Structure formats: C-alpha cells, structure tokens
Amino acid sequence: MADPAGGSHRARSEDARHAWRIFAIWFVLSAVIDPLYYFLAGPHMPPGAETSAASGAQFDLNVVMVTAMPVVIAVVLYLGYAVVVWGAKRSGDREAVGGPKYTRNLRVQMAFIGVTTLIVMGMFVFGTVELIVPAGAGGGEGPNPIWTPTSKTILPIQVIAQQWKFTYRYPTFGGFETDQLMLPDNTTVAFHVTSLDVIHSFWAYQLGVKADANPAEDNVAYTTTQQTGEFTVRCSELCGLWHGSMYDFGHIMTKQGFEQWATSTEQKLAPATKLLPKFAYTYVPDANGADGGYYPDNVDPYSNVETYGASTTQS
Ligand SMILES: [Cu+2]
C-alpha cells in the first residue's frame, strides 16, 4: 500500500524476466528437437518412400510434426516452469501469481491470437498446395481427375474389387486379369479402381494410394514408383463378412523384370483372357447366374491418356 507504483514496476520487470527465460528455454529445445526429428526420424515415418504419393504423405507428416512439436514444447514447458518456479511452498509463502492485473493482458492475448492464426492459416495454405501441386496424389479423384501427371508413359492398371478379393487387369498388355499386382520401378501408374458388387476401397499402404472401389465407377489414382519392394493391399471399406481377409501383397520390380513378367503372363493367360469380357472401365455383374461372371458397362466417358506398353496391345 505504501508504494503501489514501485511494487507493480518491480512485478512487471520480474514478469519480463520469467518470459524471456521461458522463451530462451523453449527456443533452444525447439531448435534442437525439431532438426533431430526431421533428419533422424523423418525418413522412417510412414508410409515410406516407395512412390511419389508415399513420400509426399511422409513429407506432409514431417512438416506437421515439425510445426506441432514447438507448440507441445511450449505448453509442457510453461506447465513445468509454473510448477517449479511459481508453485506455492508448503512453508506458507504467499501465492506468487494471481490478482487483478492478470485478468487481462492485451499483449498476451494478441500474441496468442496472432500466432495461432498464423499456424492454422499456414497449415491451410500448405495443405492446399500439397493437394494440388504433386499433380495426382493417390487419393482416387473420380473418373476424370483435374490434376493429371505429366509423364508420357503412364501404365494403366485396373483394380477390380469384389467380395472378397482384388484382381488386376493390364489393358496395355492384352487386358489379362490376374491376382498378382506387379509394378515397374520409376513409372507413373494410373490405378483404375472399380467394383463388381458392393463398395470396397483399394488401399496400397506403402504406395500412399487409397481409392474407393465403387460399382459402375472408374476411380482413378495416380502415383509414381521410386523404389523396388513389396507392399500390402487391403480393403479399407467394410464390405461384408470376410472384409478382414480381403488383402494381398504387390511388388515393385525393375522395369526389365516387369516387362518380362507382363509379357509372359500375357501369353500364359491368353486362353483365359479370351473368355473374359472385353476390357472396360466399369463392369456390370452377370445377372443371369451365380457364376461370378460380368460384362462391360462402359457408362463412364473416359479420356485415354495412358500409353505404357501400348505397342503390345492386341485389341
Ligand atoms: Cu472389401
């Protein structure tokens, strides 16, 4: 009461001292932990780097982590600092914080609103750019994707889902159908995902590709392979009793290995391919019997831009 002006001045400079100390600790922790995460853990984050879509998803995850960790550090650090420095002691010290002067603080409020707005709007811009710029993320963008890859040799592969398995047709290799999913390395692939019965979803985890498989729908997802290796394929849309066992494995092979596999499989399966319905972007299940047959639908208009292996096409 004797000297309120002097007391508040002392409190304010003490506040500033605490603020700068917290800021310094936060800055050092963030400057150490962020690069440690990005360079040591970042390259091992899911879904890996087998394709362009996968490394795109990995990069997005790492950017979000690097943005989020300083926020987490700030919250935990402030909590810890408050407990250690401002905690009321059992000896009966008066409580160090509180009182009317803490009920409003324009600078803290403006800083909070400013920083959170910046982070959220930055994430919005980053997310939008990442959706558009990689041109054809493996999301399944309907029959006529707005953003198409620039590659001139796009390998089309049709993914046909049905209860409860996936099969794959290679239209530029005579349209054979197999339950093996083989991809060549360093190649842009266009997955044409469709279904013969109920709704399914084609999820090739390590490829960063996930596209809904709907009957009478040609859903396109692009990705470009970058490494050889194995990947898993799972149905990710509850589709009936054996949904959980609707999975298999695919391989990214060398280009030469793929050419060999594709041409030899085309020859080997030629007698069976003749019995299949002609390749189409969608099919209608055969209503005349329970023989599992189907016939082309062709209801979807489609711009055929894919040429990979087209020289060997027989149709
Ligand atoms: Cu399914």
Side-chain angles (χ1 to χ4, degrees), residues 11 52 75 95 101 135 137 139-140 166 187 201 264 276 279 304 306 314:
S52 58
V75 171
E95 205 167 332
K101 92 184 168 74
F166 291 103
T187 303
S201 183
S264 69
L276 284 177
F279 176 82
N304 192 357
E306 291 110 9
Q314 60 181 22

Side-chain angles (χ1 to χ4, degrees), residues 161-166 197-202 213 234-240 242-244 246:
Q162 58 185 304
Q163 288 171 321
W164 285 277
K165 68 180 293 182
F166 291 103
D197 42 41
V198 300
I199 55 172
H200 302 268
S201 183
F202 171 69
R234 281 185 181 281
C235 180
S236 65
E237 183 67 64
L238 188 56
C239 60
W242 302 114
H243 163 69
M246 189 167 163

Side-chain angles (χ1 to χ4, degrees), residues 46-65:
E50 276 188 13
T51 67
S52 58
S55 34
Q58 187 187 62
F59 174 72
D60 296 348
L61 172 68
N62 289 340
V63 169
V64 171
M65 285 293 282

Side-chain angles (χ1 to χ4, degrees), residues 266-286:
E266 180 181 351
Q267 283 166 18
K268 197 172 72 185
L269 294 181
T273 307
K274 264 187 285 183
L275 303 174
L276 284 177
K278 198 167 142 23
F279 176 82
Y281 289 104
T282 60
Y283 305 93
V284 175
D286 186 353

Side-chain angles (χ1 to χ4, degrees), residues 34 37-38 42 45 56-72 119-120 122-124 126-128 130:
D34 256 0
Y37 166 82
Y38 192 84
M45 286 294 123
Q58 187 187 62
F59 174 72
D60 296 348
L61 172 68
N62 289 340
V63 169
V64 171
M65 285 293 282
V66 163
T67 310
M69 280 192 305
V71 177
V72 175
I119 292 175
V120 171
M123 285 284 133
F124 164 69
F126 176 75
T128 306
E130 282 294 287

Side-chain angles (χ1 to χ4, degrees), residues 168-220:
Y168 310 96
R169 284 192 86 165
Y170 289 76
T172 49
F173 290 90
F176 70 80
E177 182 172 353
T178 169
D179 57 3
Q180 289 181 296
L181 179 53
M182 301 294 182
L183 312 176
D185 196 8
N186 293 312
T187 303
T188 300
V189 178
F191 290 108
H192 291 266
V193 184
T194 189
S195 167
L196 295 182
D197 42 41
V198 300
I199 55 172
H200 302 268
S201 183
F202 171 69
W203 180 29
Y205 170 73
Q206 292 90 339
L207 303 187
V209 171
K210 192 184 221 177
D212 286 341
N214 296 333
E217 198 61 59
D218 172 33
N219 194 16
V220 184

Side-chain angles (χ1 to χ4, degrees), residues 1-12:
M1 275 302 188
D3 183 16
S8 102
H9 178 76
R10 201 163 51 237
R12 222 177 295 143

